[in-house]
Amino acid sequence: MLIASFPAGPWQANCYLLAQAEGGPCVVVDPGVDAAHGVRQGLKQYGLSVDAVLLSHGHVDHVAAAREIADEAEVPVWVHEADVDLLSEPMLALSEDARGILEMMYGSTTFTPPKDVRHYEGDVTVAGIRFATRHAPGHTPGCTLLLPELDQHQLVFTGDVVFAGSIGRTDLPRGDAFAMAASLATQVLPLPDEAHLLPGHGPTTTMAQERSANQWLHPQNLMAMQAQASATNRTDNDGSDL
């Protein structure tokens, strides 16, 4: 197994290359802002070819280079259906603070989507590797955990669902704290302790470490998050039909 990673762009989002071995096809996970150069360097260094691009979710810091990488290699981009529109309209799920960054870097806040976009519907097999997909909304509606089936280690590409010591924010447009709490409870906590988590930002970690040290995964905090989100929704909905 070969796995390479590097942080890219102003948000320092992690981009990953995964292959069964050097000199073969690979999967590119989350090629975001300014990631294309790093991807090409990795391809050259390890003699790899791109077989597919997999996206953990649709935020621009994880997808900005997806079209460039995928269209150049004539391969598909895989993403959850709920985040497809973010490939062309990133501001739908970003704060206004990001508008200036996109305009400065790209001259626009809209993108041309990749030529071949496919939706996760169960498992995906690319580069000879079978990936289980687990829908884990909250940070965005389309957040997806990606679990490659490998002989040696259990890896989980967690995107911005869970990090070392933290979780993804839910205060951006399309974020949902109630959904995030449910995703953490039903998709993240059942992962085995030996699983290696490869997050969208920051260092890698293990499920054992997060289960013991990540306060956001403690059951009482998940319950509090859901209760607070429910109370907020009730307040927001009061008089909404007047």
Side-chain angles (χ1 to χ4, degrees):
M1 178 188 69
L2 182 151
I3 183 165
S5 66
F6 59 92
W11 292 284
Q12 291 291 277
N14 293 329
C15 177
Y16 297 91
L17 280 69
L18 180 67
Q20 292 182 316
E22 292 188 29
C26 77
V27 177
V28 180
V29 178
D30 284 1
V33 177
D34 285 345
H37 177 69
V39 170
R40 293 191 182 100
Q41 282 188 318
L43 298 177
K44 182 178 181 180
Q45 179 177 353
Y46 300 110
L48 301 171
S49 59
V50 180
D51 194 52
V53 172
L54 301 186
L55 303 178
S56 66
H57 63 295
H59 275 158
V60 69
D61 55 330
H62 295 262
V63 312
R67 180 182 67 85
E68 182 177 353
I69 296 299
D71 288 1
E72 184 177 276
E74 298 182 339
V75 300
V77 172
W78 291 84
V79 65
H80 192 277
E81 184 176 12
D83 278 4
V84 167
D85 58 350
L86 300 183
L87 301 183
S88 56
E89 297 286 346
M91 288 304 302
L92 292 174
L94 296 176
S95 67
E96 281 300 311
D97 295 343
R99 184 178 298 276
I101 296 175
L102 296 184
E103 290 178 343
M104 179 179 65
M105 298 189 70
Y106 298 104
S108 175
T109 58
T110 61
F111 292 173
T112 301
K115 293 179 180 177
D116 186 355
V117 177
R118 305 183 188 183
H119 305 155
Y120 296 129
E121 295 179 0
D123 295 351
V124 174
T125 300
V126 287
I129 303 170
R130 185 177 180 180
F131 287 79
T133 64
R134 295 185 181 178
H135 187 208
H139 181 62
T140 71
C143 279
T144 302
L145 305 181
L146 303 171
L147 292 78
E149 294 185 2
L150 304 168
D151 293 334
Q152 298 168 313
H153 303 287
Q154 178 159 3
L155 303 180
V156 185
F157 294 94
T158 62
D160 287 4
V161 177
V162 62
F163 309 118
S166 188
I167 61 172
R169 62 191 293 186
T170 59
D171 60 327
L172 294 172
R174 294 196 178 180
D176 185 329
F178 191 90
M180 173 64 89
S183 292
L184 295 173
T186 63
Q187 302 297 348
V188 174
L189 281 176
L191 295 171
D193 283 349
E194 60 271 20
H196 293 264
L197 309 184
L198 284 67
H201 302 268
T204 60
T205 184
T206 65
M207 193 59 218
Q209 172 66 20
E210 297 314 300
R211 200 185 309 280
S212 65
N214 191 331
Q215 64 173 339
W216 295 100
L217 298 184
H218 294 170
Q220 64 270 26
N221 290 335
L222 291 178
M223 292 175 62
M225 188 189 309
Q226 288 183 315
Q228 183 177 5
S230 295
T232 300
N233 288 339
R234 286 195 299 270
T235 300
D236 290 344
N237 289 334
D238 283 348
S240 61
D241 57 340
L242 296 179

